[in-house]
mmCIF file of all heavy atoms in Angstrom:
data_model
loop_
_atom_site.group_PDB
_atom_site.id
_atom_site.type_symbol
_atom_site.label_atom_id
_atom_site.label_comp_id
_atom_site.label_asym_id
_atom_site.label_seq_id
_atom_site.Cartn_x
_atom_site.Cartn_y
_atom_site.Cartn_z
ATOM 1 N N ILE A 54 -19.472 -14.565 -0.389
ATOM 2 C CA ILE A 54 -18.659 -15.481 0.427
ATOM 3 C C ILE A 54 -18.714 -14.959 1.862
ATOM 4 O O ILE A 54 -18.452 -13.781 2.108
ATOM 5 C CB ILE A 54 -17.201 -15.495 -0.070
ATOM 6 C CG1 ILE A 54 -17.124 -16.046 -1.505
ATOM 7 C CG2 ILE A 54 -16.327 -16.321 0.872
ATOM 8 C CD1 ILE A 54 -15.745 -15.896 -2.141
ATOM 9 N N SER A 55 -19.018 -15.858 2.819
ATOM 10 C CA SER A 55 -19.000 -15.404 4.233
ATOM 11 C C SER A 55 -17.810 -15.982 4.989
ATOM 12 O O SER A 55 -17.435 -15.467 6.047
ATOM 13 C CB SER A 55 -20.310 -15.781 4.924
ATOM 14 O OG SER A 55 -20.447 -17.187 4.925
ATOM 15 N N HIS A 56 -17.204 -17.051 4.438
ATOM 16 C CA HIS A 56 -16.044 -17.649 5.113
ATOM 17 C C HIS A 56 -15.227 -18.408 4.081
ATOM 18 O O HIS A 56 -15.785 -18.977 3.136
ATOM 19 C CB HIS A 56 -16.505 -18.613 6.225
ATOM 20 C CG HIS A 56 -15.378 -19.254 6.979
ATOM 21 N ND1 HIS A 56 -14.713 -18.602 8.004
ATOM 22 C CD2 HIS A 56 -14.762 -20.463 6.844
ATOM 23 C CE1 HIS A 56 -13.770 -19.408 8.476
ATOM 24 N NE2 HIS A 56 -13.768 -20.542 7.781
ATOM 25 N N ILE A 57 -13.903 -18.411 4.252
ATOM 26 C CA ILE A 57 -13.044 -19.231 3.399
ATOM 27 C C ILE A 57 -12.205 -20.127 4.292
ATOM 28 O O ILE A 57 -11.613 -19.659 5.288
ATOM 29 C CB ILE A 57 -12.115 -18.358 2.524
ATOM 30 C CG1 ILE A 57 -12.938 -17.483 1.574
ATOM 31 C CG2 ILE A 57 -11.143 -19.250 1.716
ATOM 32 C CD1 ILE A 57 -12.111 -16.635 0.607
ATOM 33 N N ASP A 58 -12.167 -21.408 3.965
ATOM 34 C CA ASP A 58 -11.265 -22.325 4.658
ATOM 35 C C ASP A 58 -10.201 -22.780 3.662
ATOM 36 O O ASP A 58 -10.523 -23.378 2.618
ATOM 37 C CB ASP A 58 -12.031 -23.538 5.198
ATOM 38 C CG ASP A 58 -11.089 -24.513 5.886
ATOM 39 O OD1 ASP A 58 -10.364 -24.091 6.802
ATOM 40 O OD2 ASP A 58 -11.045 -25.697 5.470
ATOM 41 N N LEU A 59 -8.942 -22.483 3.953
ATOM 42 C CA LEU A 59 -7.835 -22.825 3.050
ATOM 43 C C LEU A 59 -7.064 -24.028 3.600
ATOM 44 O O LEU A 59 -6.807 -24.096 4.810
ATOM 45 C CB LEU A 59 -6.862 -21.647 2.923
ATOM 46 C CG LEU A 59 -7.383 -20.364 2.287
ATOM 47 C CD1 LEU A 59 -6.360 -19.232 2.444
ATOM 48 C CD2 LEU A 59 -7.677 -20.603 0.804
ATOM 49 N N LYS A 60 -6.729 -24.933 2.700
ATOM 50 C CA LYS A 60 -5.756 -25.970 3.038
ATOM 51 C C LYS A 60 -4.677 -25.876 1.982
ATOM 52 O O LYS A 60 -4.912 -26.221 0.817
ATOM 53 C CB LYS A 60 -6.412 -27.357 3.017
ATOM 54 C CG LYS A 60 -7.586 -27.482 3.949
ATOM 55 C CD LYS A 60 -7.536 -28.738 4.775
ATOM 56 C CE LYS A 60 -8.656 -28.835 5.805
ATOM 57 N NZ LYS A 60 -9.233 -27.591 6.310
ATOM 58 N N LEU A 61 -3.511 -25.351 2.349
ATOM 59 C CA LEU A 61 -2.481 -25.042 1.341
ATOM 60 C C LEU A 61 -1.141 -25.625 1.726
ATOM 61 O O LEU A 61 -0.787 -25.667 2.909
ATOM 62 C CB LEU A 61 -2.333 -23.522 1.179
ATOM 63 C CG LEU A 61 -3.520 -22.766 0.574
ATOM 64 C CD1 LEU A 61 -3.237 -21.262 0.590
ATOM 65 C CD2 LEU A 61 -3.815 -23.236 -0.866
ATOM 66 N N ALA A 62 -0.403 -26.051 0.717
ATOM 67 C CA ALA A 62 0.980 -26.468 0.934
ATOM 68 C C ALA A 62 1.887 -25.465 0.223
ATOM 69 O O ALA A 62 1.615 -25.048 -0.902
ATOM 70 C CB ALA A 62 1.193 -27.879 0.357
ATOM 71 N N GLY A 71 -0.494 -24.823 -3.309
ATOM 72 C CA GLY A 71 -1.480 -25.743 -3.860
ATOM 73 C C GLY A 71 -2.344 -26.326 -2.761
ATOM 74 O O GLY A 71 -1.890 -26.475 -1.618
ATOM 75 N N GLY A 72 -3.597 -26.628 -3.091
ATOM 76 C CA GLY A 72 -4.485 -27.230 -2.095
ATOM 77 C C GLY A 72 -5.938 -26.911 -2.428
ATOM 78 O O GLY A 72 -6.330 -26.923 -3.595
ATOM 79 N N THR A 73 -6.700 -26.588 -1.379
ATOM 80 C CA THR A 73 -8.120 -26.304 -1.603
ATOM 81 C C THR A 73 -8.535 -25.015 -0.913
ATOM 82 O O THR A 73 -7.976 -24.641 0.119
ATOM 83 C CB THR A 73 -9.004 -27.445 -1.064
ATOM 84 O OG1 THR A 73 -8.757 -27.601 0.330
ATOM 85 C CG2 THR A 73 -8.751 -28.743 -1.803
ATOM 86 N N ALA A 74 -9.540 -24.385 -1.504
ATOM 87 C CA ALA A 74 -10.237 -23.269 -0.862
ATOM 88 C C ALA A 74 -11.701 -23.688 -0.783
ATOM 89 O O ALA A 74 -12.326 -23.980 -1.811
ATOM 90 C CB ALA A 74 -10.097 -21.999 -1.689
ATOM 91 N N THR A 75 -12.235 -23.762 0.441
ATOM 92 C CA THR A 75 -13.636 -24.080 0.610
ATOM 93 C C THR A 75 -14.382 -22.804 0.988
ATOM 94 O O THR A 75 -14.058 -22.177 1.998
ATOM 95 C CB THR A 75 -13.825 -25.163 1.688
ATOM 96 O OG1 THR A 75 -13.022 -26.292 1.333
ATOM 97 C CG2 THR A 75 -15.274 -25.585 1.804
ATOM 98 N N LEU A 76 -15.302 -22.407 0.113
ATOM 99 C CA LEU A 76 -16.019 -21.141 0.295
ATOM 100 C C LEU A 76 -17.387 -21.392 0.913
ATOM 101 O O LEU A 76 -18.147 -22.228 0.384
ATOM 102 C CB LEU A 76 -16.193 -20.439 -1.053
ATOM 103 C CG LEU A 76 -14.967 -20.382 -1.992
ATOM 104 C CD1 LEU A 76 -15.338 -19.687 -3.298
ATOM 105 C CD2 LEU A 76 -13.811 -19.673 -1.313
ATOM 106 N N THR A 77 -17.683 -20.724 2.009
ATOM 107 C CA THR A 77 -19.042 -20.776 2.575
ATOM 108 C C THR A 77 -19.812 -19.620 1.952
ATOM 109 O O THR A 77 -19.327 -18.482 1.907
ATOM 110 C CB THR A 77 -19.001 -20.629 4.096
ATOM 111 O OG1 THR A 77 -18.154 -21.661 4.614
ATOM 112 C CG2 THR A 77 -20.386 -20.761 4.689
ATOM 113 N N LEU A 78 -21.020 -19.946 1.466
ATOM 114 C CA LEU A 78 -21.755 -18.975 0.642
ATOM 115 C C LEU A 78 -23.048 -18.532 1.309
ATOM 116 O O LEU A 78 -23.730 -19.302 1.981
ATOM 117 C CB LEU A 78 -22.090 -19.602 -0.710
ATOM 118 C CG LEU A 78 -20.862 -20.069 -1.492
ATOM 119 C CD1 LEU A 78 -21.287 -20.868 -2.720
ATOM 120 C CD2 LEU A 78 -19.990 -18.867 -1.892
ATOM 121 N N VAL A 103 -20.208 -29.106 -1.523
ATOM 122 C CA VAL A 103 -20.062 -29.971 -0.350
ATOM 123 C C VAL A 103 -21.335 -29.821 0.466
ATOM 124 O O VAL A 103 -21.739 -28.694 0.815
ATOM 125 C CB VAL A 103 -18.844 -29.535 0.502
ATOM 126 C CG1 VAL A 103 -18.596 -30.531 1.626
ATOM 127 C CG2 VAL A 103 -17.611 -29.369 -0.362
ATOM 128 N N ARG A 136 -24.272 -24.622 0.229
ATOM 129 C CA ARG A 136 -23.720 -23.729 1.260
ATOM 130 C C ARG A 136 -22.221 -23.664 1.158
ATOM 131 O O ARG A 136 -21.599 -22.677 1.524
ATOM 132 C CB ARG A 136 -24.155 -24.233 2.648
ATOM 133 C CG ARG A 136 -24.405 -23.086 3.616
ATOM 134 C CD ARG A 136 -24.867 -23.617 4.958
ATOM 135 N NE ARG A 136 -23.753 -23.967 5.812
ATOM 136 C CZ ARG A 136 -23.077 -23.080 6.541
ATOM 137 N NH1 ARG A 136 -23.391 -21.804 6.497
ATOM 138 N NH2 ARG A 136 -22.088 -23.473 7.314
ATOM 139 N N GLU A 137 -21.599 -24.771 0.657
ATOM 140 C CA GLU A 137 -20.138 -24.764 0.520
ATOM 141 C C GLU A 137 -19.698 -25.256 -0.835
ATOM 142 O O GLU A 137 -20.274 -26.206 -1.378
ATOM 143 C CB GLU A 137 -19.499 -25.679 1.580
ATOM 144 C CG GLU A 137 -19.525 -25.078 2.968
ATOM 145 C CD GLU A 137 -18.749 -25.927 3.981
ATOM 146 O OE1 GLU A 137 -18.229 -27.000 3.604
ATOM 147 O OE2 GLU A 137 -18.693 -25.518 5.134
ATOM 148 N N ILE A 138 -18.677 -24.594 -1.373
ATOM 149 C CA ILE A 138 -18.075 -25.030 -2.625
ATOM 150 C C ILE A 138 -16.572 -25.170 -2.414
ATOM 151 O O ILE A 138 -15.952 -24.266 -1.848
ATOM 152 C CB ILE A 138 -18.390 -24.048 -3.768
ATOM 153 C CG1 ILE A 138 -19.845 -24.214 -4.193
ATOM 154 C CG2 ILE A 138 -17.452 -24.217 -4.956
ATOM 155 C CD1 ILE A 138 -20.265 -23.340 -5.356
ATOM 156 N N ARG A 139 -16.049 -26.329 -2.832
ATOM 157 C CA ARG A 139 -14.589 -26.566 -2.611
ATOM 158 C C ARG A 139 -13.854 -26.572 -3.952
ATOM 159 O O ARG A 139 -14.220 -27.300 -4.868
ATOM 160 C CB ARG A 139 -14.372 -27.872 -1.886
ATOM 161 C CG ARG A 139 -12.897 -28.105 -1.511
ATOM 162 C CD ARG A 139 -12.754 -29.094 -0.376
ATOM 163 N NE ARG A 139 -13.362 -30.354 -0.698
ATOM 164 C CZ ARG A 139 -14.010 -31.148 0.161
ATOM 165 N NH1 ARG A 139 -14.148 -30.781 1.425
ATOM 166 N NH2 ARG A 139 -14.520 -32.289 -0.236
ATOM 167 N N ILE A 140 -12.816 -25.790 -4.038
ATOM 168 C CA ILE A 140 -12.039 -25.671 -5.263
ATOM 169 C C ILE A 140 -10.621 -26.169 -4.980
ATOM 170 O O ILE A 140 -9.961 -25.697 -4.048
ATOM 171 C CB ILE A 140 -11.973 -24.190 -5.738
ATOM 172 C CG1 ILE A 140 -13.406 -23.666 -5.919
ATOM 173 C CG2 ILE A 140 -11.157 -24.045 -7.015
ATOM 174 C CD1 ILE A 140 -13.500 -22.187 -6.191
ATOM 175 N N ALA A 141 -10.180 -27.155 -5.783
ATOM 176 C CA ALA A 141 -8.796 -27.619 -5.677
ATOM 177 C C ALA A 141 -7.998 -26.916 -6.759
ATOM 178 O O ALA A 141 -8.416 -26.861 -7.906
ATOM 179 C CB ALA A 141 -8.739 -29.134 -5.858
ATOM 180 N N TYR A 142 -6.857 -26.341 -6.390
ATOM 181 C CA TYR A 142 -6.124 -25.505 -7.359
ATOM 182 C C TYR A 142 -4.649 -25.391 -6.982
ATOM 183 O O TYR A 142 -4.245 -25.732 -5.871
ATOM 184 C CB TYR A 142 -6.744 -24.097 -7.414
ATOM 185 C CG TYR A 142 -6.514 -23.263 -6.164
ATOM 186 C CD1 TYR A 142 -5.521 -22.280 -6.136
ATOM 187 C CD2 TYR A 142 -7.259 -23.481 -4.997
ATOM 188 C CE1 TYR A 142 -5.294 -21.523 -4.986
ATOM 189 C CE2 TYR A 142 -7.017 -22.750 -3.862
ATOM 190 C CZ TYR A 142 -6.041 -21.769 -3.850
ATOM 191 O OH TYR A 142 -5.811 -21.027 -2.720
ATOM 192 N N TRP A 179 -3.840 -15.912 -5.990
ATOM 193 C CA TRP A 179 -3.471 -17.051 -5.107
ATOM 194 C C TRP A 179 -4.645 -17.693 -4.400
ATOM 195 O O TRP A 179 -4.480 -18.755 -3.811
ATOM 196 C CB TRP A 179 -2.320 -16.674 -4.159
ATOM 197 C CG TRP A 179 -2.542 -15.590 -3.147
ATOM 198 C CD1 TRP A 179 -2.571 -14.256 -3.353
ATOM 199 C CD2 TRP A 179 -2.701 -15.778 -1.729
ATOM 200 N NE1 TRP A 179 -2.764 -13.586 -2.164
ATOM 201 C CE2 TRP A 179 -2.827 -14.495 -1.146
ATOM 202 C CE3 TRP A 179 -2.740 -16.899 -0.881
ATOM 203 C CZ2 TRP A 179 -2.994 -14.308 0.227
ATOM 204 C CZ3 TRP A 179 -2.914 -16.701 0.479
ATOM 205 C CH2 TRP A 179 -3.059 -15.420 1.013
ATOM 206 N N ILE A 180 -5.836 -17.099 -4.527
ATOM 207 C CA ILE A 180 -7.051 -17.731 -4.003
ATOM 208 C C ILE A 180 -8.201 -17.414 -4.974
ATOM 209 O O ILE A 180 -8.357 -16.258 -5.363
ATOM 210 C CB ILE A 180 -7.446 -17.159 -2.601
ATOM 211 C CG1 ILE A 180 -6.271 -17.230 -1.616
ATOM 212 C CG2 ILE A 180 -8.651 -17.892 -2.039
ATOM 213 C CD1 ILE A 180 -6.532 -16.453 -0.322
ATOM 214 N N PRO A 181 -8.989 -18.407 -5.362
ATOM 215 C CA PRO A 181 -10.170 -18.082 -6.173
ATOM 216 C C PRO A 181 -11.215 -17.492 -5.238
ATOM 217 O O PRO A 181 -11.648 -18.157 -4.293
ATOM 218 C CB PRO A 181 -10.612 -19.447 -6.728
ATOM 219 C CG PRO A 181 -10.066 -20.462 -5.754
ATOM 220 C CD PRO A 181 -8.881 -19.844 -5.062
ATOM 221 N N LEU A 182 -11.630 -16.248 -5.488
ATOM 222 C CA LEU A 182 -12.583 -15.601 -4.574
ATOM 223 C C LEU A 182 -13.274 -14.434 -5.237
ATOM 224 O O LEU A 182 -13.036 -14.141 -6.410
ATOM 225 C CB LEU A 182 -11.888 -15.163 -3.258
ATOM 226 C CG LEU A 182 -10.497 -14.516 -3.312
ATOM 227 C CD1 LEU A 182 -10.438 -13.320 -4.225
ATOM 228 C CD2 LEU A 182 -10.035 -14.130 -1.938
ATOM 229 N N PHE A 190 -15.356 -11.488 4.593
ATOM 230 C CA PHE A 190 -15.517 -12.856 5.079
ATOM 231 C C PHE A 190 -14.493 -13.147 6.175
ATOM 232 O O PHE A 190 -13.470 -12.453 6.278
ATOM 233 C CB PHE A 190 -15.338 -13.854 3.918
ATOM 234 C CG PHE A 190 -14.143 -13.572 3.052
ATOM 235 C CD1 PHE A 190 -12.880 -13.997 3.414
ATOM 236 C CD2 PHE A 190 -14.284 -12.831 1.859
ATOM 237 C CE1 PHE A 190 -11.760 -13.717 2.638
ATOM 238 C CE2 PHE A 190 -13.162 -12.549 1.074
ATOM 239 C CZ PHE A 190 -11.908 -12.987 1.460
ATOM 240 N N THR A 191 -14.759 -14.127 6.990
ATOM 241 C CA THR A 191 -13.790 -14.630 7.941
ATOM 242 C C THR A 191 -12.992 -15.723 7.240
ATOM 243 O O THR A 191 -13.377 -16.168 6.158
ATOM 244 C CB THR A 191 -14.483 -15.207 9.187
ATOM 245 O OG1 THR A 191 -15.430 -16.182 8.742
ATOM 246 C CG2 THR A 191 -15.246 -14.097 9.934
ATOM 247 N N TYR A 192 -11.868 -16.127 7.829
ATOM 248 C CA TYR A 192 -11.162 -17.256 7.216
ATOM 249 C C TYR A 192 -10.439 -18.120 8.238
ATOM 250 O O TYR A 192 -10.103 -17.655 9.338
ATOM 251 C CB TYR A 192 -10.231 -16.808 6.084
ATOM 252 C CG TYR A 192 -8.874 -16.235 6.456
ATOM 253 C CD1 TYR A 192 -7.767 -17.077 6.683
ATOM 254 C CD2 TYR A 192 -8.662 -14.860 6.531
ATOM 255 C CE1 TYR A 192 -6.495 -16.545 6.964
ATOM 256 C CE2 TYR A 192 -7.401 -14.331 6.815
ATOM 257 C CZ TYR A 192 -6.339 -15.183 7.040
ATOM 258 O OH TYR A 192 -5.096 -14.662 7.321
ATOM 259 N N THR A 193 -10.245 -19.388 7.857
ATOM 260 C CA THR A 193 -9.386 -20.296 8.589
ATOM 261 C C THR A 193 -8.406 -20.875 7.572
ATOM 262 O O THR A 193 -8.716 -20.920 6.375
ATOM 263 C CB THR A 193 -10.185 -21.442 9.240
ATOM 264 O OG1 THR A 193 -11.146 -21.914 8.292
ATOM 265 C CG2 THR A 193 -10.924 -20.980 10.489
ATOM 266 N N ALA A 194 -7.233 -21.296 8.027
ATOM 267 C CA ALA A 194 -6.260 -21.843 7.092
ATOM 268 C C ALA A 194 -5.387 -22.872 7.790
ATOM 269 O O ALA A 194 -5.013 -22.700 8.963
ATOM 270 C CB ALA A 194 -5.389 -20.728 6.506
ATOM 271 N N HIS A 195 -5.106 -23.936 7.064
ATOM 272 C CA HIS A 195 -4.105 -24.905 7.514
ATOM 273 C C HIS A 195 -3.029 -24.911 6.432
ATOM 274 O O HIS A 195 -3.302 -25.199 5.282
ATOM 275 C CB HIS A 195 -4.751 -26.290 7.661
ATOM 276 C CG HIS A 195 -3.740 -27.359 7.999
ATOM 277 N ND1 HIS A 195 -3.178 -27.457 9.259
ATOM 278 C CD2 HIS A 195 -3.190 -28.339 7.249
ATOM 279 C CE1 HIS A 195 -2.306 -28.460 9.261
ATOM 280 N NE2 HIS A 195 -2.304 -29.017 8.062
ATOM 281 N N VAL A 196 -1.810 -24.536 6.804
ATOM 282 C CA VAL A 196 -0.729 -24.387 5.820
ATOM 283 C C VAL A 196 0.432 -25.276 6.201
ATOM 284 O O VAL A 196 0.892 -25.261 7.355
ATOM 285 C CB VAL A 196 -0.266 -22.908 5.731
ATOM 286 C CG1 VAL A 196 0.796 -22.758 4.632
ATOM 287 C CG2 VAL A 196 -1.448 -21.988 5.469
ATOM 288 N N MET A 206 0.322 -15.397 8.648
ATOM 289 C CA MET A 206 -0.787 -14.911 7.824
ATOM 290 C C MET A 206 -1.398 -13.651 8.449
ATOM 291 O O MET A 206 -1.016 -13.227 9.532
ATOM 292 C CB MET A 206 -1.858 -16.006 7.634
ATOM 293 C CG MET A 206 -1.407 -17.115 6.702
ATOM 294 S SD MET A 206 -2.762 -18.227 6.200
ATOM 295 C CE MET A 206 -3.559 -17.272 4.896
ATOM 296 N N PHE A 220 0.945 -25.154 10.240
ATOM 297 C CA PHE A 220 0.459 -23.914 10.853
ATOM 298 C C PHE A 220 -1.045 -23.772 10.651
ATOM 299 O O PHE A 220 -1.554 -24.048 9.553
ATOM 300 C CB PHE A 220 1.161 -22.700 10.243
ATOM 301 C CG PHE A 220 2.640 -22.668 10.541
ATOM 302 C CD1 PHE A 220 3.522 -23.452 9.807
ATOM 303 C CD2 PHE A 220 3.131 -21.892 11.567
ATOM 304 C CE1 PHE A 220 4.885 -23.440 10.101
ATOM 305 C CE2 PHE A 220 4.492 -21.872 11.871
ATOM 306 C CZ PHE A 220 5.373 -22.643 11.126
ATOM 307 N N ASP A 221 -1.730 -23.348 11.701
ATOM 308 C CA ASP A 221 -3.173 -23.119 11.599
ATOM 309 C C ASP A 221 -3.477 -21.664 11.958
ATOM 310 O O ASP A 221 -2.888 -21.105 12.867
ATOM 311 C CB ASP A 221 -3.919 -24.072 12.528
ATOM 312 C CG ASP A 221 -3.853 -25.476 12.007
ATOM 313 O OD1 ASP A 221 -4.581 -25.790 11.070
ATOM 314 O OD2 ASP A 221 -2.995 -26.262 12.507
ATOM 315 N N PHE A 222 -4.439 -21.087 11.221
ATOM 316 C CA PHE A 222 -4.783 -19.685 11.413
ATOM 317 C C PHE A 222 -6.292 -19.527 11.474
ATOM 318 O O PHE A 222 -7.031 -20.301 10.824
ATOM 319 C CB PHE A 222 -4.255 -18.830 10.238
ATOM 320 C CG PHE A 222 -2.767 -18.967 10.050
ATOM 321 C CD1 PHE A 222 -2.230 -19.907 9.184
ATOM 322 C CD2 PHE A 222 -1.892 -18.141 10.761
ATOM 323 C CE1 PHE A 222 -0.867 -20.038 9.019
ATOM 324 C CE2 PHE A 222 -0.520 -18.258 10.602
ATOM 325 C CZ PHE A 222 -0.003 -19.210 9.726
ATOM 326 N N GLU A 223 -6.712 -18.518 12.217
ATOM 327 C CA GLU A 223 -8.139 -18.206 12.232
ATOM 328 C C GLU A 223 -8.341 -16.693 12.341
ATOM 329 O O GLU A 223 -7.946 -16.075 13.317
ATOM 330 C CB GLU A 223 -8.835 -18.894 13.430
ATOM 331 C CG GLU A 223 -10.323 -18.572 13.448
ATOM 332 C CD GLU A 223 -11.119 -19.354 14.482
ATOM 333 O OE1 GLU A 223 -10.499 -19.918 15.404
ATOM 334 O OE2 GLU A 223 -12.363 -19.378 14.338
ATOM 335 N N GLN A 224 -8.898 -16.118 11.297
ATOM 336 C CA GLN A 224 -9.267 -14.695 11.318
ATOM 337 C C GLN A 224 -10.764 -14.644 11.614
ATOM 338 O O GLN A 224 -11.586 -14.995 10.765
ATOM 339 C CB GLN A 224 -8.938 -14.040 9.972
ATOM 340 C CG GLN A 224 -9.307 -12.562 9.873
ATOM 341 C CD GLN A 224 -8.766 -11.700 11.025
ATOM 342 O OE1 GLN A 224 -9.447 -11.489 12.037
ATOM 343 N NE2 GLN A 224 -7.523 -11.264 10.893
ATOM 344 N N MET A 233 -6.127 -10.523 2.567
ATOM 345 C CA MET A 233 -5.615 -11.895 2.671
ATOM 346 C C MET A 233 -4.096 -11.829 2.471
ATOM 347 O O MET A 233 -3.616 -11.188 1.520
ATOM 348 C CB MET A 233 -6.213 -12.793 1.590
ATOM 349 C CG MET A 233 -7.695 -13.044 1.732
ATOM 350 S SD MET A 233 -8.156 -13.871 3.272
ATOM 351 C CE MET A 233 -7.289 -15.440 3.120
#
Side-chain angles (χ1 to χ4, degrees):
I54 297 171
S55 62
H56 181 81
I57 298 183
D58 178 56
L59 296 171
K60 302 227 176 332
L61 293 175
T73 59
T75 305
L76 314 179
T77 304
L78 301 171
V103 187
R136 215 178 86 82
E137 285 186 359
I138 285 184
R139 185 158 58 216
I140 303 171
Y142 71 101
W179 64 284
I180 307 170
L182 42 54
F190 46 82
T191 55
Y192 80 85
T193 44
H195 175 74
V196 184
M206 287 192 80
F220 295 80
D221 289 283
F222 303 92
E223 180 172 17
Q224 178 52 266
M233 293 299 298

